[in-house]
Amino acid sequence: MALNTIGITIPVSPRARAVEPVFDPLKLSQPASSAFACKHVKLSTSLLLPLLGGTAAPAGAAAQPINLIYDSTLDPSLFQPVCPASDNFYRFGQALVVGLVGNDNYKEFAPLIAGGLLRVRLELCVVESFVYEAIIPFIREKGLSWVLPWHETVETFLAGVIFAVASNFILIGSTKIVTVIFTYGDVFFGFPLRLTGELGWRSLEKNAEPMDQPAPPPKGGLFRGFFRKSPKREPPSLEEVIKANDDTAVGVAGLAVWGGMRLVGEASKSVRIGVEFLDVFVGRYLLLTTVAYVGLKFVHFKLLPDFP
């Protein structure tokens, strides 16, 4: 292809021509101010206005122009969420994989490893960006008066509905990967600490047990009590363990090391259980809760606007 301008032929590369999308049935490549967008916005507006308490234009009336406000920060092609925590997790995972498999193996399987880590980072970034770039700024600006106000308005109704629906789409799919991460962390980090700390702490408990323990009662009954359950051993209290081991440097070091490992391991277990509980709640009950919440706001806004 060439352009003839004032008798001068200027060759134009085929790449300079506009490239039409191969498959775009929804016309997503068109700008928001196109006729296609305005047509569907008018249709959506005519359907939503009666629902929100407005009045639709009568049949045959002149259509009012709809001006769509363009914001470059909300353009999907220009949207770049900021996710520092997700980026740090990606770099940590990359360094961990390189340290485990070595540089040569990492180079050989780099597309698979990097592709997996990048997708995990993307899932985490969805939640992080939604919290820090949408929820927190909106709550800082609007407060929480829109959650369950005394008098429902269009603004409070839309804020609650949009927040509930967006939370469904974002949290239901993204909390699974958070659960997987904390489960792996507890298995490979928390569980060894708990196991090692428990074994070391039992050695400290033996120093707190009395030297002259009473002999167990003689076994009697059928088969001389062979199938009888042995009495449960009551471990000494924390104060007794500390008192029995704080008189020597070795005992103090054992209290610090074994106690610290046991404490960190139990904290890892508690965090994992909490994340699993949150994931179960989001997966089972968040959808039902948000549907009930949206229904409550609709009834309050549309059917009972003057209550209370």
Side-chain angles (χ1 to χ4, degrees), residues 198 200-209 233 235-237 241 245 262:
E198 185 68 24
W201 191 260
R202 287 182 181 178
S203 64
L204 299 178
E205 289 179 346
K206 293 181 179 180
N207 298 331
E209 294 178 352
R233 171 181 171 270
S237 62
V241 175
N245 294 275
R262 187 181 180 186

Side-chain angles (χ1 to χ4, degrees), residues 5-125:
T5 306
I6 318 179
I8 302 176
T9 302
I10 303 175
V12 179
S13 173
R15 296 182 179 179
R17 292 178 292 178
V19 179
E20 294 293 335
V22 178
F23 182 74
D24 191 11
L26 300 180
K27 307 296 182 181
L28 297 178
S29 60
Q30 297 184 5
S33 59
S34 62
F36 178 83
C38 291
K39 175 183 176 182
H40 286 74
V41 169
K42 292 176 183 178
L43 178 60
S44 302
T45 305
S46 63
L47 294 176
L48 290 177
L49 277 178
L51 180 65
L52 298 178
T55 57
Q64 298 295 329
I66 298 177
N67 297 323
L68 299 179
I69 301 175
Y70 176 75
D71 189 354
S72 60
T73 60
L74 303 179
D75 190 343
S77 61
L78 302 177
F79 179 65
Q80 296 181 352
V82 179
C83 311
S86 303
D87 294 337
N88 293 333
F89 176 81
Y90 171 76
R91 297 188 186 95
F92 170 77
Q94 191 177 28
L96 181 63
V97 172
V98 172
L100 291 176
V101 303
N103 290 325
D104 296 336
N105 293 327
Y106 179 80
K107 292 178 182 178
E108 183 178 357
F109 297 97
L112 179 61
I113 297 173
L117 290 176
L118 283 174
R119 281 155 181 81
V120 172
R121 182 258 178 199
L122 179 61
E123 292 291 339
L124 296 176
C125 184

Side-chain angles (χ1 to χ4, degrees), residues 220-238:
L222 186 62
F223 300 107
R224 299 187 59 84
F226 182 77
F227 296 101
R228 182 180 299 174
K229 187 177 180 181
S230 59
K232 185 178 179 181
R233 171 181 171 270
E234 293 293 337
S237 62
L238 178 62

